[in-house]
Amino acid sequence: MTNLPPPAEELRILDAELRQLDLRRAVLLRRRAWLVHTLRAAAAPQPAQGTGAAPGGPPPGPATGVAARRPETTAPGVQNVLLVLGGVLLTIAAIAFTLVSWGHLGIAGRSLVLGALTVGVLGAPVTLLRRGLRATAEAVAGLGTALTVLDAYALHEVAFTGADGVGYTAAASAVLAALWAAYGVRLGLFHPLPLAVATAHLPLLLWAVALGAGPLTLTAVLLATAAGGTAVALRAASAPVRVVAVVGALGTGTVGVLSAGWLCWSASDPGSAARAAALLVVAAAVAVVTGRFVPNRAVAAAAATAAGLCLVAGSAGVLRVSVPGEWTVPGCQLCAILLLTAERTSLPLPLRQGLVRAAVAVQGLAVLWAVPLVAGSVLGPAVQAVTPWSGAPRTVRDAVFADVTGPAYASTVPLVLVVVAAALVVVGHRTPRRPAVMVVALVLGWAAVHVLPVALQLPYTAGLVAQAAVVVAALGLAVRSDRADGGPTPLALTALLLALLTSVDLALLSLASESATIGVLVTLTVLFGAAGRRPRHAPFTVPAALAHATALACALGASAGRPPHTALLVLVVPAVAALIASRSSASRASVPVEVAGAAAMLLALALAVPDPPMLALVLSLCGVVAAATALRPERRAVGWAAAALWLAAAWVRLAAWEVGTPEAYTLPVTGPALVVGFLRRRRDTAVSSWTAYGPGLAATLVPGLLAAWDDQHWLRPLLLGVAALAVTLVGARRRLQAPLVLGAGALALVALHELAPYLTQVVGALPRWVPPALAGFVLLVLGATYEHRLRDARRLREALGRLR
């Protein structure tokens, strides 16, 4: 070889080759153990005759039903367990000797015993390695490293009793780490190097603690230790060494970054904040170097993200004590935007991706910081509904946060939201997810404009005008986006929803003043009504216009001081909705418009409930609207609702007139029901008379019988009997089953009711033995003519069955 590698590289190569040889040796040992077991099983004596195996046949195995016994562990496994257990026991014995039996020996004896034992144990692996006993050498070396720790403890107790415990521990850990590293490299053992790396994380921190260093110095020591661990992790060839170094670097680095961030954000002057920020910059540099040299792309991106967050946190800490508090978050946003310039640098792709992710995370945190003000601006006006028309406040902020304190540092919230929205618009043109990004940008821009009047504390009237302008802008954007793309897009739908939300918020905000309420509701009704002329937006805008018109009707009624008549104003909305739905029955807006009209109708009924005459009028008008809707072929079923409304209107009117006669309530049901049944039977002769006439007749006959049973006068039973007789005769003439049965039954009950007093007198005049005798006589007669009566009953049933 003419080109020899450097000693360190050659040592790394030799260590790797030795590890491969050890792995190959373990595989061969397992194979050898299996072969020895197989040969022993084959040489075992054969079973005698009658045991299930023929002489000279194959050895018992799975084919013969007797499985060969296999070892439950391998020879290398047993060897490792024994070596580890032996090393642990010896270590425990050494510790017990050092701590318990140390006082029985003198200075020379102590030094001689422990020193000789340590030297002997540390030198034994040399001989063991020459004989190829690597596992035993590792176990003995582990015992030796434990003895070196005991030597350090003994040395402190004998020679350095006056030394500070923390400082001595720092020096001892540094010396032990160096000795273990040299020992492991010299002999090529596995465990000393990871142990040395783990111990090397202690000296600097312990020395700083021993010297009484402050928080800033301790943080710097932690970051320096993390940097050292990172360097070892990047350069080490051994996997255990890398794992230990990575864990140590992450632990110390995380604690150091958190400590530096706390120092930076809790600093009281720019100088202290700058010193802590410098530590965060150091941490960011370590993270960037790590991402530059680490082969894993995901780890590199994560390191770059951490570096970006450290830089922004340090800048924010300095800004917090250098500028007014409301500008801290915008300053962080500016730093995050500067991180985005990494896209145009020559850094590796994972580092650029990580810095961009850090910038995005900072922008997301800034948006979260603005959420309280946005939520308060959207939900706060709902408080005005509790005390409407209580007086216009001085500013919009007073109207939104009437009884609570608004969020601090609210003046820069619109700027924060606008910056994020602008960044998304710029980035959205270069991403395949452009529609989603643009929707998010639109929502953020809307939030910025929505909170602007509150943040700037504009006058109340100016705030209402600004909110109305937001509604107009959102509707215009929806129309423009729809027209540009030739169809409904996510951006257009989002703009429509934002317009609806802003309109509701504006209506609630205007409740503080009577004039403002009426003016705002008129404006919103006109705006959404005009926007409803576009068919694609009509399912959203027309119901919104109807809702605002309903609120306007309520406001006008309340302003006029005649609450009962407000229901009549509200009824205009269902009438308009029915007209619009009839002209756009084939469009998608038909059902939403009808739902909005039905809701306004229910509101009108609720408003008219305190005044029965007005409620009757409203019910009848609602019936007219429902009947007009039922004229459409696809809405024929609404006719039943119209009939029910008219009937309810009649009942309410009768109740208002204090009418207590049941027939006054039932006859309006019976008449239309009989007419409908007659018309239905004319169209379909297969319809039963029970279906056509049964409900209508029962609606009057049953309540009339109940009322007549307790009536002491003769007029109601007479009229009811005449009506029942007429129904019976009509049923017999037309051969209809339902009128015949219902009329005959009612007539019989009326007759029974009229004869009841006389029957009572007769029964009272007869002796007590007469009723049982009559009952017995009747039973005898029935028994004697049982068959004949059955035949007559069968004929009666058949006759009724032939009726329709």
Side-chain angles (χ1 to χ4, degrees):
M1 296 176 63
T2 57
N3 296 324
L4 294 177
E9 182 65 20
E10 185 177 2
L11 179 61
R12 186 186 66 79
I13 295 173
L14 290 178
D15 289 338
E17 292 294 336
L18 289 173
R19 282 196 301 274
Q20 294 296 330
L21 290 176
D22 289 336
L23 293 175
R24 182 60 180 169
R25 182 174 183 273
V27 172
L28 293 177
L29 286 174
R30 286 195 295 270
R31 179 65 179 175
R32 179 181 180 279
W34 182 83
L35 291 174
V36 170
H37 171 71
T38 303
L39 293 175
R40 289 178 178 176
Q46 299 298 328
Q49 293 291 340
T51 58
T64 60
V66 182
R69 181 174 300 173
R70 309 181 73 175
E72 297 180 356
T73 183
T74 60
V78 175
Q79 168 189 316
N80 293 334
V81 170
L82 294 178
L83 290 176
V84 171
L85 182 59
V88 170
L89 291 177
L90 289 175
T91 303
I92 293 174
I95 293 173
F97 169 75
T98 304
L99 297 177
V100 179
S101 301
W102 187 257
H104 299 290
L105 300 176
I107 299 292
R110 300 171 188 172
S111 303
L112 181 61
V113 172
L114 194 55
L117 181 60
T118 303
V119 171
V121 171
L122 291 177
V126 178
T127 305
L128 295 173
L129 289 174
R130 290 176 181 174
R131 298 186 177 183
L133 302 176
R134 173 168 291 275
T136 307
E138 290 284 351
V140 175
L143 175 61
T145 54
L147 289 175
T148 54
V149 177
L150 296 177
D151 288 334
Y153 169 73
L155 188 61
H156 176 267
E157 293 295 323
V158 174
F160 300 99
T161 54
D164 178 59
V166 179
Y168 179 80
T169 304
S173 59
V175 173
L176 289 176
L179 290 177
W180 290 342
Y183 183 69
V185 172
R186 178 67 181 83
L187 298 182
L189 298 173
F190 289 156
H191 83 277
L193 285 178
L195 190 59
V197 172
T199 308
H201 287 80
L202 300 177
L204 286 179
L205 182 61
L206 293 177
W207 272 328
V209 173
L211 294 176
L216 192 67
T217 304
L218 290 175
T219 303
V221 168
L222 286 172
L223 294 177
T225 303
T230 303
V232 173
L234 292 174
R235 298 293 299 174
S238 174
V241 173
R242 286 199 303 271
V243 170
V244 173
V246 167
V247 172
L250 285 177
T252 55
T254 302
V255 176
V257 168
L258 293 177
S259 176
W262 179 78
L263 291 174
C264 188
W265 279 84
S266 62
S268 58
D269 58 276
S272 302
R275 286 190 291 272
L279 295 179
L280 289 174
V281 172
V282 172
V286 173
V288 170
V289 172
T290 302
R292 177 65 180 83
F293 292 101
V294 72
N296 191 304
R297 298 170 63 90
V299 175
T305 303
L309 293 177
C310 288
L311 291 175
V312 174
S315 304
V318 176
L319 289 173
R320 191 189 65 82
V321 294
S322 303
V323 298
E326 60 268 18
W327 291 100
T328 302
V329 175
C332 295
Q333 282 188 296
L334 179 60
C335 296
I337 292 174
L338 294 178
L339 289 179
L340 292 176
T341 58
E343 281 284 347
R344 302 183 179 274
T345 63
S346 58
L347 290 173
L349 180 60
L351 295 183
R352 286 180 285 158
Q353 291 177 344
L355 292 175
V356 170
R357 291 173 186 173
V360 171
V362 172
Q363 301 294 347
L365 293 175
V367 172
L368 290 178
W369 174 76
V371 163
L373 182 62
V374 176
S377 300
V378 173
L379 302 177
V383 180
Q384 298 296 332
V386 180
T387 56
W389 297 353
S390 57
R394 186 176 61 86
T395 64
V396 179
R397 188 184 180 94
D398 296 334
V400 173
F401 299 99
D403 300 325
V404 296
T405 303
Y409 307 137
S411 59
T412 56
V413 169
L415 177 62
V416 169
L417 296 173
V418 167
V419 168
V420 179
L424 288 176
V425 170
V426 173
V427 175
H429 293 288
R430 296 179 295 174
T431 178
R433 299 180 179 178
R434 182 175 181 273
V437 173
M438 298 305 292
V439 166
V440 176
L442 175 61
V443 173
L444 292 176
W446 166 83
V449 178
H450 189 77
V451 302
L452 185 61
V454 178
L456 299 181
Q457 299 187 15
L458 295 180
Y460 178 70
T461 305
L464 295 180
V465 173
Q467 297 285 54
V470 173
V471 177
V472 174
L475 290 175
L477 179 61
V479 173
R480 182 178 179 182
S481 301
D482 201 2
R483 182 182 303 167
D485 296 334
T489 61
L491 190 64
L493 294 178
T494 304
L496 277 176
L497 294 177
L498 293 177
L500 293 174
L501 179 60
T502 308
S503 67
V504 173
D505 206 45
L506 176 59
L508 292 173
L509 192 63
S510 66
L511 290 177
S513 171
E514 179 180 351
S515 58
T517 301
I518 296 176
V520 165
L521 291 176
V522 169
T523 303
L524 293 177
T525 303
V526 173
L527 281 177
F528 283 98
R533 300 180 61 183
R534 295 186 62 84
R536 291 170 182 159
H537 301 156
F540 298 93
T541 54
V542 176
L546 294 175
H548 291 305
T550 303
L552 176 61
C554 295
L556 291 175
S559 177
R562 305 187 69 178
H565 294 79
T566 304
L568 296 178
L569 293 175
V570 175
L571 276 181
V572 177
V573 176
V576 174
L579 179 61
I580 295 173
S582 64
R583 301 188 60 181
S584 60
S585 58
S587 68
R588 294 180 301 171
S590 177
V591 174
V593 168
E594 290 174 345
V595 171
M601 188 180 295
L602 292 176
L603 178 61
L605 293 174
L607 292 174
V609 166
D611 189 356
M614 180 60 65
L615 178 60
L617 178 60
V618 171
L619 284 169
S620 60
L621 293 177
C622 290
V624 172
V625 175
T629 303
L631 295 177
R632 295 160 51 193
E634 69 275 10
R635 293 290 186 268
R636 295 298 188 195
V638 183
W640 295 102
L645 289 170
W646 281 330
L647 178 61
W651 285 354
V652 171
R653 173 56 65 182
L654 291 173
W657 287 337
E658 298 182 354
V659 175
T661 304
E663 288 78 9
Y665 296 90
T666 58
L667 286 176
V669 179
T670 298
L674 293 178
V675 173
V676 171
F678 176 74
L679 296 176
R680 184 175 180 184
R681 278 182 59 85
R682 288 187 62 183
R683 290 196 306 266
D684 186 6
T685 57
V687 176
S688 171
S689 63
W690 287 103
T691 304
Y693 304 120
L697 293 174
T700 295
L701 293 177
V702 173
L705 286 172
L706 295 177
W709 201 260
D710 292 333
D711 196 348
Q712 302 299 325
H713 301 283
W714 57 272
L715 182 59
R716 175 178 279 113
L718 177 61
L719 295 177
L720 183 60
V722 172
L725 179 60
V727 171
T728 305
L729 294 177
V730 171
R733 177 71 180 81
R734 298 291 182 182
R735 299 178 60 83
L736 299 175
Q737 189 178 98
L740 180 61
V741 173
L742 292 176
L747 184 59
L749 290 175
V750 170
L752 179 63
H753 174 266
E754 294 302 316
L755 293 176
Y758 303 103
L759 293 177
T760 303
Q761 293 178 3
V762 170
V763 170
L766 291 176
R768 294 187 177 182
W769 55 269
V770 173
L774 290 175
F777 178 75
V778 171
L779 290 176
L780 288 175
V781 172
L782 290 176
T785 59
Y786 181 73
E787 184 176 0
H788 186 266
R789 300 306 176 190
L790 286 178
R791 184 170 60 253
D792 293 342
R794 190 179 301 109
R795 289 175 180 174
L796 178 61
R797 185 184 63 184
E798 292 174 355
L800 289 175
R802 286 192 295 269
L803 299 178
R804 291 173 292 174

